[in-house]
Amino acid sequence: MKLTILGGGGFRVPLVYQALAADDLITELVLFDSSPERLGVIDSVLRGLDLGLPFTATTDLDEALHGADFVFATIRVGGAAGRIVDERVALNLGLLGQETIGAGGLSYALRTIPVMRHIAERIAELAPGAWTINFTNPAGIVTETMRGVLGDRVVGICDTPIGLVRRVQRVAEAAGLGGPTGAGESVGAIDYVGLNHLGWLRGLEVGGRDVLPAILERDDLLEEIEEARTVGFDWVRAHQVLPNEYLFYYLFHEDAVRSITEAPATRGEFLLEQQGEFYRTAEAAAQAGNSGHAGAERAAEVWASALREREATYMAEARDEGEERREEDVAGGGYQEVALRLMTAIARNRPERMILDVGNAPTGSGERLVPQLPDDVVLEVPCVVDGSGVHPEPLRSPVALDQLGLMARQRAAERRIMRAALTGSKREAWLGFSEHPLIESPQLGRKLLDGYLAEHAVLRKILTED
């Protein structure tokens, strides 16, 4: 089977490669990237890992897509430099500039959606039978955009929900709250609902028992769950849920802004420096080895070191100053593993229960998962995946009113941004910024739009209609 990775020069591609090499499902791997320099560095890293899975690299999109069985879409339009602009324009107005949450996420979506729409159209032309697995952020609205072309054959994935599920499962089993599931086995029914980076775990069966109520009662067990520590034990008990870790930005918006502002650098600035240094060092190492195996091995070592630093500093603003991320939290999972499980379930008809980004009313179903939201809204919900495709499971209980309201406001703002990106409407972009639940101000919406237009030349080409 042929897998194409779009964004094949990306820093996290070696993680995907390692997961793929542990299985024999993929026999043809193609890496595509618009940057030949970054692609060359990742080529060296993969050769240095020396895992036996052959691959090719190309800067030709059509060549990469032609005849693919699976497509991973993992690109960053504007790179880390664009992310810094997203962050700083918002922070200068006292707002959150995180890459998927708030103003920064909307700016990122504005310049990403036209590119991803074009990619979806090329997939439909060159690989109509392919399954597209979207990693590109903001994953929810980007997947929703691609579904307008590819329908149910595009699925969004994220590793944060499964990371939360695994933490709860680990804690429950260690405390003897549920029967053991066994190494590598799936848990039972998962009661999770939301949008990408905006969701809630409302129940989890381990060994046939919903273990969440018992966990919520005990401080010693909540202490072992990163999400509970982040938002507070009183909050999770009051709501009887465990949140996706990104709820921190909604619940503690001012704290997050202050922490990011007081830090020596934003996350984008840190990654621009760290990853820039990685690409320079890895390229130099490969060249020093005359592009041979020794140079490739050194490039792989440089990558592994940079990865450890990146993972340890993830969401640092959600922790107390000086608090390091726990090893068990870093090891909570990864999107590469989620993607491989998804591909394997489809290709080998090996049923899996997973949390994925899918349509509210999948084609032909005639029923909405959340009746109050439109058919084509992309939700993050438990699904069963098998050889016939991805099948969202009915929700186990209605969505709470506060959760529904936040989901609706978030996606309404993002849909304004999607329309702006596809039609060029500055008015829709202004409304999208103004109506987001972390902004809610026409005046700030106007300032954000003006600020991003001033700093992003690509947005001035996209937004041409008043």
Side-chain angles (χ1 to χ4, degrees), residues 371-411:
Q372 299 89 343
L373 297 178
D375 288 5
D376 57 348
V377 163
V378 165
L379 304 176
E380 196 162 76
V381 292
C383 303
V384 173
V385 186
D386 58 25
S388 62
V390 178
H391 314 286
E393 296 185 300
L395 298 186
R396 299 175 69 82
S397 60
V399 181
L401 192 58
D402 61 321
Q403 298 168 358
L404 179 65
L406 186 54
M407 290 166 61
R409 291 160 61 210
Q410 169 77 17
R411 188 46 50 87

Side-chain angles (χ1 to χ4, degrees), residues 43-366:
D43 180 292
S44 296
V45 171
L46 300 194
R47 286 188 289 106
L49 292 174
D50 194 21
L51 298 177
L53 175 62
F55 65 92
T56 58
T58 181
T59 56
D60 187 316
L61 176 63
D62 284 5
E63 176 186 334
L65 290 176
H66 185 76
D69 297 289
F70 292 95
V71 177
F72 286 179
T74 171
I75 69 172
R76 179 179 291 280
V77 179
R83 178 175 180 172
I84 292 171
V85 171
D86 296 341
E87 293 169 336
R88 284 299 177 188
V89 168
L91 288 171
N92 289 341
L93 294 170
L95 298 168
L96 187 67
Q98 203 273 343
E99 69 165 334
T100 64
I101 305 298
L106 297 183
S107 175
Y108 187 20
L110 262 179
R111 65 178 185 273
T112 301
I113 283 171
V115 176
M116 298 308 292
R117 175 81 180 197
H118 170 71
I119 286 173
E121 291 168 347
R122 298 314 298 149
I123 293 171
E125 176 70 22
L126 298 167
W131 282 92
T132 298
I133 301 174
N134 178 52
F135 305 80
T136 300
N137 279 320
I141 195 61
V142 168
T143 301
E144 198 164 306
T145 299
M146 298 182 79
R147 279 179 61 87
V149 178
L150 299 173
D152 289 345
R153 296 190 78 84
V154 59
V155 181
I157 70 168
C158 183
D159 59 344
T160 56
I162 194 60
L164 171 57
V165 167
R166 287 181 173 176
R167 280 186 272 278
V168 174
Q169 177 187 353
R170 183 186 68 237
V171 167
E173 292 184 348
L177 297 180
T181 56
E185 292 183 21
S186 299
V187 295
I190 302 170
D191 187 1
Y192 183 96
V193 66
L195 307 177
N196 179 246
H197 289 179
L198 181 63
W200 302 265
L201 181 65
R202 307 182 299 172
L204 180 69
E205 288 186 2
V206 177
R209 174 187 175 189
D210 183 2
V211 298
L212 191 58
I215 288 176
L216 291 172
E217 291 178 358
R218 294 175 51 178
D219 283 5
D220 61 321
L221 301 185
L222 290 178
E223 179 63 29
E224 299 300 316
I225 300 173
E226 186 175 26
E227 291 81 356
R229 298 195 306 270
T230 298
V231 303
F233 298 172
D234 54 347
W235 189 93
V236 299
R237 286 198 181 106
H239 291 80
Q240 289 294 292
V241 299
L242 286 171
N244 184 296
E245 61 192 351
Y246 283 85
L247 257 292
F248 167 80
Y249 295 112
Y250 292 88
L251 298 172
F252 302 98
H253 178 254
E254 292 181 358
D255 292 342
V257 171
R258 182 173 58 254
S259 178
I260 294 169
T261 302
E262 292 175 352
T266 66
R267 182 65 172 171
E269 289 164 345
F270 166 77
L271 290 178
L272 181 64
E273 174 61 28
Q274 189 226 31
Q275 291 191 23
E277 178 64 22
F278 154 70
Y279 281 99
R280 290 189 296 270
T281 304
E283 183 178 22
Q287 290 177 349
N290 295 318
S291 299
H293 187 65
E297 282 188 330
R298 176 57 185 146
E301 292 170 0
V302 172
W303 171 79
S305 175
L307 176 67
R308 287 191 294 271
E309 182 181 16
R310 173 178 172 137
E311 296 291 354
T313 57
Y314 174 70
M315 281 190 72
E317 60 271 16
R319 298 187 293 277
D320 292 336
E321 184 176 356
E323 181 185 357
E324 295 185 358
R325 198 171 184 213
R326 300 184 186 184
E327 184 63 32
E328 63 268 23
D329 296 331
V330 176
Y335 70 71
Q336 67 281 355
E337 183 181 343
V338 181
L340 183 59
R341 287 174 54 205
L342 176 56
M343 285 197 306
T344 301
I346 292 173
R348 293 181 172 148
N349 192 24
R350 186 179 296 168
E352 284 265 14
R353 179 177 281 114
M354 311 177 69
I355 299 174
L356 301 168
D357 290 277
V358 296
N360 188 26
T363 303
S365 71

Side-chain angles (χ1 to χ4, degrees), residues 401-458:
L401 192 58
D402 61 321
Q403 298 168 358
L404 179 65
L406 186 54
M407 290 166 61
R409 291 160 61 210
Q410 169 77 17
R411 188 46 50 87
E414 290 179 328
R415 286 188 142 196
R416 293 275 197 190
I417 293 296
M418 178 173 67
R419 286 193 291 272
L422 297 178
T423 66
S425 170
K426 292 179 183 177
R427 178 178 178 273
E428 286 293 315
W430 165 56
L431 291 174
F433 283 115
S434 301
E435 295 169 1
H436 190 279
L438 292 180
I439 302 168
E440 292 188 319
S441 165
Q443 293 83 3
L444 287 174
R446 178 67 66 187
K447 290 179 180 179
L448 285 166
L449 177 58
D450 290 345
Y452 287 129
L453 283 171
E455 297 293 334
H456 281 308
V458 66

